[in-house]
C-alpha cells in the first residue's frame, strides 16, 4: 500500500510561517506556503535594518517575564525552542551569532538578509513550495482555501492549514490584519488589534519645542509609570510626542493606562545618576548674571533637547525655587494622551485568544486550522523577544499539525 504525504497549506511567510514549514517538511508533509507580498520575510528583513536583534541572552526567568500577561502561554512554546535553541538553529544555517553589551543577540554580520537567504535555500531543498503574490481570502463552502492570484481566484484543498498572518502593524509589509474579519465570520472571536512597541502623543507641544527639538534624542533618562520601578534608557522627542526604545519598553502599560483612564502620566528622571539633594545643592549655587539655561548647563549638564523639555513641562514657579526645580528634574511629569496609529507600531497586541486554541495551537472551532506568530493574542517588548516567540510558536504549531495528522 502506498501512502501519500499529507498536504499542508501555510498562509504567511514570516518567521512563524517559515519555521512551521520547516518542521512540517522534516515531518514528511507536502508543504505549500502562500504569501500576498512579492517576497517572503519582508517584515523580518526590515526589523534587521540597523542590526538584526534575533533574541536575548538574559536569564530564563527574566526572559519569560517579558511576556507579561501571556507569560504562561509563551513559556509553554519556548520550552521546546527558546533563546539557546534558536541560536543553535541559526548556527546550523551557517550564520554565527554574538551577544552584545546589552545582552541582545545578533548575527555576526548584523544583517537579516544572509540568514533569510540561507533559510529559504534550505526550505527549497526540503521540498517546501513558496507562492508569492497570492492572497488568502478564506474558505469556500467545501472547506477549500480561496487564494487570489494575478490570474484570478483559485482553490486549494489541503489536509491541514496553518495561519501565520502577522498582526496589524506595517501594512505595507503584509501585516494588515485583514484576516480578523475572515476568522470572525467563522465564529472565532479576535481580541482587537492595538499598537505595541509604539510611540505616544501629547496634547500638544509648543511650536518652539517642535521646531527646535522634534527628532532629538533624550539619552540617559529614567522613566517611571505609576508604582512600577523606573526604567533607564533613552527616547526621542517627536512632533507629536515621544517614541524610542525606552517608550517601547513601557508601551503596553502606557497604552492600557490610556485605555482605562484617558491618559497616562509618566515621570522622567533627567539625571538618574544624581540624587535629588545633590541636584538641589547645585541649583542653589549663586548664578549671578548668568541665565538659568547657562546655570543648568554649567552645574548639571542639562542643555539642548533635555533643557528644552524641562522648560516645556516645568512651571515658572518651579524655576524660581531650586529645591522645587530639583524635584521636578528628578520626576518631570509628562502626560500622554494616545498611542500613535497601529500601522506605525513595531508590533501589535491582540489577536486570536489562546483559549480559542488547543495545546497544539489548533482552533477549537475549526479542526485542522492552526495559528502561529503575531496573530496570536500576546505581545512583548523589542529586544529579540518578539522574534523568539514567533519562531517558537511556528515550531509548536508545525509539530501540532503533524500530531493531528498522525491521529487522523
Amino acid at each position: 500500500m502506498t501512502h501519500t504525504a499529507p498536504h499542508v497549506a501555510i498562509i504567511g511567510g514570516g518567521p512563524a510561517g517559515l519555521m512551521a514549514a520547516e518542521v512540517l517538511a522534516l515531518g514528511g508533509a507536502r508543504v505549500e506556503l502562500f504569501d500576498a507580498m512579492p517576497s517572503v520575510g519582508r517584515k523580518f528583513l526590515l526589523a534587521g535594518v540597523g542590526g538584526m536583534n534575533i533574541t536575548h541572552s538574559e536569564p530564563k526567568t527574566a526572559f519569560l517575564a517579558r511576556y507579561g500577561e501571556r507569560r504562561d502561554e509563551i513559556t509553554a512554546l519556548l520550552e521546546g525552542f527558546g533563546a539557546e535553541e534558536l541560536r543553535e538553529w541559526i548556527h546550523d544555517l551557517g550564520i554565527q551569532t554574538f551577544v552584545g553589551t546589552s545582552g541582545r543577540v545578533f548575527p555576526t554580520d548584523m544583517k537579516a538578509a544572509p540568514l533569510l537567504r540561507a533559510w529559504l535555500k534550505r526550505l527549497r531543498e526540503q521540498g517546501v513550495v513558496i507562492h508569492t503574490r497570492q492572497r488568502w481570502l478564506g474558505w469556500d463552502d467545501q472547506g477549500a482555501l480561496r487564494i487570489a492570484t494575478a490570474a484570478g481566484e483559485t482553490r486549494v484543498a489541503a489536509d491541514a492549514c496553518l495561519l501565520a498572518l502577522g498582526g496589524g502593524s506595517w501594512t505595507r509589509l503584509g501585516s494588515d490584519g485583514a484576516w480578523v474579519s475572515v476568522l470572525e465570520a467563522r465564529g472565532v472571536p479576535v481580541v482587537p488589534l492595538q499598537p505595541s512597541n509604539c510611540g505616544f502623543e501629547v496634547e500638544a507641544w509648543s511650536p518652539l519645542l517642535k521646531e527646535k527639538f522634534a527628532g532629538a534624542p533624550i539619552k540617559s533618562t529614567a522613566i517611571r509609570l505609576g508604582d512600577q520601578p523606573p526604567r533607564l534608557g533613552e527616547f526621542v522627542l517627536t512632533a507629536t510626542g515621544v517614541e524610542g526604545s525606552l517608550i517601547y519598553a513601557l508601551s503596553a502599560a502606557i497604552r492600557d493606562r490610556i485605555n482605562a483612564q484617558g491618559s497616562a502620566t509618566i515621570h522622567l528622571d533627567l539625571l538618574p545618576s544624581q540624587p535629588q539633594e545633590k541636584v538641589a545643592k547645585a541649583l542653589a549655587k549663586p548664578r549671578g548674571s548668568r541665565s538659568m539655561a547657562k546655570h543648568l548647563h554649567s552645574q548639571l549638564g542639562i542643555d539642548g533637547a533635555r533643557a528644552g523639555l524641562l522648560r516645556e513641562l516645568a512651571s515658572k514657579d518651579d524655576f524660581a525655587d531650586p529645591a522645587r526645580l530639583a524635584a521636578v528634574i528628578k520626576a518631570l511629569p509628562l502626560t500622554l494622551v494616545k498611542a500613535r496609529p497601529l500601522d506605525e507600531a513595531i508590533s501589535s497586541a491582540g489577536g486570536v485568544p489562546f483559549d480559542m486554541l488547543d495545546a497544539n495551537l489548533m482552533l477549537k472551532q475549526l479542526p485542522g486550522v492552526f495559528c502561529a506568530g503575531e496573530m496570536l493574542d500576546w505581545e512583548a517588548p523589542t529586544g529579540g523577544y518578539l522574534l523568539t516567540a514567533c519562531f517558537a510558536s511556528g515550531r509548536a504549531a508545525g509539530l501540532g499539525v503533524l500530531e493531528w495528522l498522525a491521529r487522523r
Side-chain angles (χ1 to χ4, degrees):
M1 178 183 293
T2 60
H3 295 275
T4 303
H7 178 206
V8 181
I10 297 174
I11 311 297
L18 294 173
M19 181 57 78
E22 180 164 337
V23 169
L24 286 160
L26 290 173
R30 180 167 62 90
V31 182
E32 286 190 277
L33 185 148
F34 300 85
D35 195 282
M37 303 303 288
S39 59
V40 298
R42 293 170 82 89
K43 189 174 179 181
F44 178 73
L45 289 173
L46 187 59
V49 173
M52 180 74 257
N53 178 200
I54 199 77
T55 188
H56 205 288
S57 65
E58 69 184 352
K60 186 175 182 180
T61 299
F63 191 102
L64 295 175
R66 303 293 186 178
Y67 297 97
E69 294 180 357
R70 295 293 176 266
R71 172 177 175 164
D72 291 346
E73 291 89 346
I74 300 300
T75 296
L77 303 178
L78 295 177
E79 284 298 328
F81 198 77
E84 283 302 315
E85 290 82 3
L86 177 55
R87 291 187 71 185
E88 292 172 6
W89 176 84
I90 294 171
H91 297 162
D92 192 48
L93 282 171
I95 307 292
Q96 295 306 304
T97 61
F98 73 96
V99 180
T101 55
S102 65
R104 299 183 181 205
V105 176
F106 303 88
T108 303
D109 62 4
M110 299 287 286
K111 297 177 181 178
L115 192 160
L116 182 60
R117 282 197 299 269
W119 192 9
L120 292 176
K121 179 177 182 294
R122 188 161 75 182
L123 287 171
R124 287 193 294 270
E125 292 170 349
Q126 292 166 345
V128 175
V129 178
I130 296 176
H131 305 278
T132 56
R133 301 181 190 273
Q134 300 201 15
R135 177 177 291 275
W136 176 65
L137 302 176
W139 296 272
D140 66 13
D141 293 340
Q142 286 71 47
L145 300 167
R146 296 173 54 211
I147 306 291
T149 74
E153 187 174 319
T154 187
R155 300 290 193 273
V156 175
D159 297 299
C161 171
L162 192 151
L163 305 178
L165 288 153
S169 64
W170 294 5
T171 299
R172 68 188 187 280
L173 301 179
S175 296
D176 57 10
W179 54 268
V180 172
S181 59
V182 178
L183 289 188
E184 288 180 334
R186 297 296 294 253
V188 178
V190 177
V191 178
L193 300 179
Q194 300 184 83
S196 181
N197 292 295
C198 59
F200 291 88
E201 297 184 12
V202 298
E203 192 66 47
W205 290 133
S206 67
L208 178 63
L209 187 85
K210 285 196 293 185
E211 181 180 340
K212 290 193 68 175
F213 300 117
I218 305 293
K219 299 184 177 181
S220 300
T221 303
I223 293 182
R224 176 174 52 82
L225 175 64
D227 296 330
Q228 296 183 13
R231 288 178 177 263
L232 182 66
E234 64 180 75
F235 65 96
V236 176
L237 298 177
T238 69
T240 59
V242 291
E243 64 179 24
S245 58
L246 188 51
I247 299 298
Y248 301 156
L250 293 165
S251 65
I254 293 172
R255 183 198 65 231
D256 292 347
R257 182 73 60 91
I258 292 173
N259 288 345
Q261 302 179 4
S263 67
T265 298
I266 59 176
H267 289 84
L268 315 177
D269 184 346
L270 300 180
L271 296 171
S273 64
Q274 298 189 36
Q276 184 173 323
E277 295 76 12
K278 184 177 179 180
V279 175
K281 186 176 180 180
L283 290 172
K285 292 180 180 180
R287 61 185 176 94
S289 61
R290 290 182 304 175
S291 67
M292 176 57 76
K294 290 184 177 179
H295 190 56
L296 285 167
H297 173 67
S298 63
Q299 294 299 319
L300 298 170
I302 294 177
D303 56 12
R306 191 182 301 266
L309 186 60
L310 178 61
R311 181 67 69 176
E312 179 85 5
L313 299 176
S315 68
K316 289 183 178 180
D317 290 340
D318 293 330
F319 278 96
D321 182 341
R324 182 167 170 173
L325 184 58
V328 170
I329 288 171
K330 295 294 291 181
L332 183 64
L334 172 61
T335 299
L336 306 172
V337 296
K338 68 176 180 178
R340 290 295 295 166
L342 175 58
D343 196 42
E344 294 181 13
I346 291 175
S347 58
S348 58
V352 177
F354 278 90
D355 60 9
M356 292 291 105
L357 304 160
D358 68 10
N360 288 326
L361 300 183
M362 184 175 75
L363 286 166
K364 296 174 182 177
Q365 291 177 254
L366 300 175
V369 179
F370 296 72
C371 298
E374 199 180 330
M375 68 182 294
L376 303 178
D377 179 24
W378 63 282
E379 62 182 312
T382 57
Y385 309 105
L386 288 163
L387 276 175
T388 303
C390 282
F391 279 110
S393 68
R395 178 180 180 275
L399 292 172
V401 173
L402 292 174
E403 182 178 324
W404 183 76
L405 290 171
R407 288 202 308 268
R408 294 184 70 205

